[in-house]
Amino acid sequence: MTDTLARTPLHALHLELGAKMVPFAGYDMPVQYPEGVMAEHLHARTKAGLFDVSHMGQLAIRAKSGVTRDAALALETLVPADIAALGAGRQRYALLMNDAGGIRDDLMVANMGDWLLVVVNAACKDADAAHIESSLADTCTVERLDDRALLALQGPASEVALATLAPAVSAMRFMDVIATEVAGVPCIVSRSGYTGEDGFEIGMPAERADHVARAILALPDVRPIGLGARDSLRLEAGLCLYGSDIDTTTTPVEAALEWSMQKSRKAGGAREGGYPGADVVLGQLANGAPRRRVGLRAEGRAPVRGGAALFADAQGARQIGVVTSGAFGPTVGAPVAMGYVDTALAQPGTSVFAELRGRFVPMQVAAMPFVTPGFKR
Amino acid sequence: MSTIYFTKDHEWLRLDGDVATVGITRHAADELGELVFVEAKDEGTEVAQGDAAGVVESVKAASDIYAPVSGTVTGFNGRLSDEPTLVGEDPEGEGWIFTLRLSDAAQLDALLDEAAYKALLG
């Protein structure tokens, strides 16, 4: 139903660049450009790649009191991350929780000084906006920033490239956020991304996105990258895809996302708990969870994809988990996957077996990320 | 002189006696992009027309190769184990995938010839 798909402000540019377009979260999005997923992936790892992520949702949360800390404390009633201690000009990963300790969405929260910028997944943005707005109605206003576009420039050459259009980005550290002009357009730039590489995410008014994207694509070393390589890049980086690796039935502890919950929100912290499902999460933080998200390496060359059942034995007698994402990792040069296994089998090096076309192929639990992160700390 | 047939699923089949060599078409190879893994059913496996007889995988996805006709798998192009990209480089030649001994030659009549396949691509 192509005619019902939404388009980002860069839709015409994607077509001009020869992209193959596919439906994704209700949008007509570029899955790859003529170079192909393999070449795009390797380019983003070694040079710099530009991604259109304008389909993602952007929200502005403002405290009715005018005090940003009040908005931060309000948001903390929905997420287990420390938002109150997030300084102006800093960004943090957070999980939007449900009452069962499951994950409604994963998001990025930036302190913009006098407001909070929240970036959420495309498929969740309507539900997230409604949930956050109704939950925080007493103390905050929530504005959907649907008139803004979002680009990601990822890869080791990103800083040098982007600095020619926005010199201020060179001084940024990982997870810094600044307001600065890029190619003459006022933008919000964070040093972050979804590839495991150094890079930036750049928000701007939708009507200026084409101008900014073309200026960035004109830089040496920068090429456009589609959703196909975005998925293989994030998988090699060990990053979760919402809806595949995490969802309303997985908890932050099961998903090995404890790092996204700061001390202040854990047992004995100044603002312990206080979010939906905190009883479940705090219990699992203390006692462990029955299953855990792990990395998986296939011993053969056949990629094991999401949905494959995992077994303790080569006969497929005892199922102990399931693969949630799997692909060939172009940088690793071998198949890589992630999934959930019984916690007793979550140690790296543990042998498990995946069902693949009626056979049971050996896999090993492996540490993630599969590639060394290139973040500028 | 061998005869080449095509399927609507973008496979080709080249007949020598009662053994067919099977691969995917240039069009299919271009659509799939660079392949990272190729495999066929084990030698001796009986497959019915339309059954999955093999698989080709790109970074992103796995696609079945269907048996264009019924028969018994008699071999696999072993070079593809280490060089799956050969399919993209020469899909209708060196990048052949498996061989099949036909069990019902009458099924060939329903396959496409080269002109009909080209017409299908438009």
Side-chain angles (χ1 to χ4, degrees):
Chain A
M1 303 288 275
T2 306
D3 55 345
T4 63
L5 292 175
R7 294 176 171 186
T8 75
L10 298 181
H11 191 267
L13 177 58
H14 299 315
L15 297 183
E16 186 181 318
L17 292 169
K20 183 193 283 186
M21 306 297 284
V22 298
F24 181 82
Y27 283 79
D28 193 33
M29 296 296 289
V31 66
Q32 65 171 79
Y33 298 89
E35 269 204 295
V37 175
M38 179 80 77
E40 291 170 26
H41 177 114
L42 295 172
H43 188 84
R45 280 269 180 263
T46 53
K47 300 287 180 56
L50 186 70
F51 304 72
D52 178 14
V53 287
S54 301
H55 58 309
M56 298 187 78
Q58 302 186 61
L59 308 173
I61 303 178
R62 295 181 177 86
K64 290 179 178 173
S65 67
V67 179
T68 305
R69 182 179 166 83
D70 291 341
L73 290 171
L75 187 56
E76 284 192 1
T77 65
L78 304 180
V79 307
D82 185 334
I83 307 299
L86 184 65
R90 293 289 292 166
Q91 178 175 258
R92 175 165 279 172
Y93 178 78
L95 302 170
L96 197 62
M97 301 296 294
N98 71 20
D99 290 333
I103 301 170
R104 297 177 65 116
D105 198 6
D106 62 342
L107 34 85
M108 297 296 279
V109 181
N111 181 338
M112 300 305 299
D114 48 6
W115 57 288
L116 300 178
L117 170 61
V118 177
V119 180
V120 305
N121 282 298
C124 303
K125 63 183 175 184
D126 293 339
D128 287 357
H131 172 62
I132 295 171
E133 184 166 24
S134 65
S135 303
L136 306 189
D138 288 347
T139 55
C140 297
T141 62
V142 177
E143 180 192 358
R144 284 186 63 148
L145 305 176
D146 291 339
D147 57 350
R148 289 187 71 82
L150 192 62
L151 306 178
L153 182 65
Q154 300 282 294
S158 299
E159 181 192 309
V160 168
L162 190 60
T164 63
L165 302 174
V169 304
S170 295
M172 297 175 72
R173 291 171 302 135
F174 184 57
M175 292 296 213
D176 277 352
V177 186
I178 63 170
T180 188
E181 285 195 355
V182 178
V185 175
C187 291
I188 294 172
V189 179
S190 63
R191 194 157 198 165
S192 53
Y194 190 48
T195 59
E197 296 301 321
D198 185 21
F200 302 88
E201 291 170 297
I202 307 155
M204 71 217 69
E207 70 272 15
R208 306 303 306 278
D210 185 81
H211 170 79
V212 174
R214 284 175 196 274
I216 294 173
L217 286 171
L219 300 171
D221 293 339
V222 180
R223 292 184 196 167
I225 312 290
L227 291 181
R230 182 168 163 84
D231 190 54
S232 54
L233 287 159
R234 70 90 195 166
L235 175 57
E236 282 186 339
L239 299 169
C240 292
L241 173 63
Y242 188 81
S244 293
D245 307 304
I246 51 175
D247 59 29
T248 53
T249 70
T250 61
T251 71
V253 177
E254 290 172 344
L257 296 172
E258 291 95 336
W259 57 269
S260 72
M261 303 182 285
Q262 286 72 32
K263 256 186 197 169
S264 59
R265 308 300 309 281
K266 293 186 189 168
R271 295 182 312 288
E272 170 185 333
Y275 52 86
D279 51 337
V280 174
V281 175
L282 292 170
Q284 290 189 346
L285 280 169
N287 304 316
R291 58 177 181 164
R292 190 154 181 90
R293 183 177 63 93
V294 296
L296 295 159
R297 293 287 299 263
E299 290 183 10
R301 287 183 62 98
V304 177
R305 310 276 176 180
L310 292 168
F311 295 85
D313 57 282
Q315 292 73 44
R318 185 163 76 91
Q319 186 173 350
I320 48 80
V322 65
V323 174
T324 51
S325 288
F328 183 84
T331 302
V332 174
V336 290
M338 66 172 80
Y340 286 83
V341 297
D342 290 354
T343 300
L345 298 172
Q347 281 304 315
T350 306
S351 286
V352 297
F353 296 85
E355 187 170 9
L356 181 69
R357 295 184 281 276
R359 302 193 305 270
F360 298 95
V361 299
M363 298 190 87
Q364 276 207 342
V365 175
M368 289 192 290
F370 299 106
V371 294
T372 307
F375 306 138
K376 187 172 173 186
R377 300 280 182 187
Chain B
M1 176 86 191
S2 59
T3 313
I4 298 182
Y5 299 86
F6 295 84
T7 74
K8 288 173 183 161
D9 296 318
H10 308 288
E11 289 139 3
W12 57 263
L13 175 160
R14 184 180 292 118
L15 197 63
D16 285 295
D18 66 347
V19 174
T21 301
V22 179
I24 63 171
T25 64
R26 163 57 64 193
H27 171 79
D30 289 347
E31 283 294 304
L32 289 166
E34 192 168 326
L35 296 183
V36 299
F37 183 76
V38 182
E39 142 184 296
K41 294 280 189 192
D42 292 338
E43 211 174 308
T45 306
E46 285 186 28
V47 289
Q49 185 175 36
D51 282 357
V55 67
V56 289
E57 305 211 21
S58 65
V59 171
K60 195 167 170 49
S63 308
D64 285 327
I65 312 166
Y66 303 105
V69 291
S70 302
T72 305
V73 176
T74 55
F76 171 66
N77 182 356
R79 287 181 65 190
L80 302 181
S81 297
D82 294 323
E83 284 181 89
T85 54
L86 200 54
V87 175
E89 290 157 17
D90 189 10
E92 298 179 19
E94 295 290 302
W96 65 274
I97 296 172
F98 64 94
T99 53
L100 188 68
R101 185 178 303 281
L102 273 58
S103 60
D104 180 4
Q107 290 174 338
L108 292 169
D109 297 340
L111 300 184
L112 307 173
D113 63 17
E114 188 156 9
Y117 179 67
K118 282 190 171 154
L120 177 76
L121 294 182

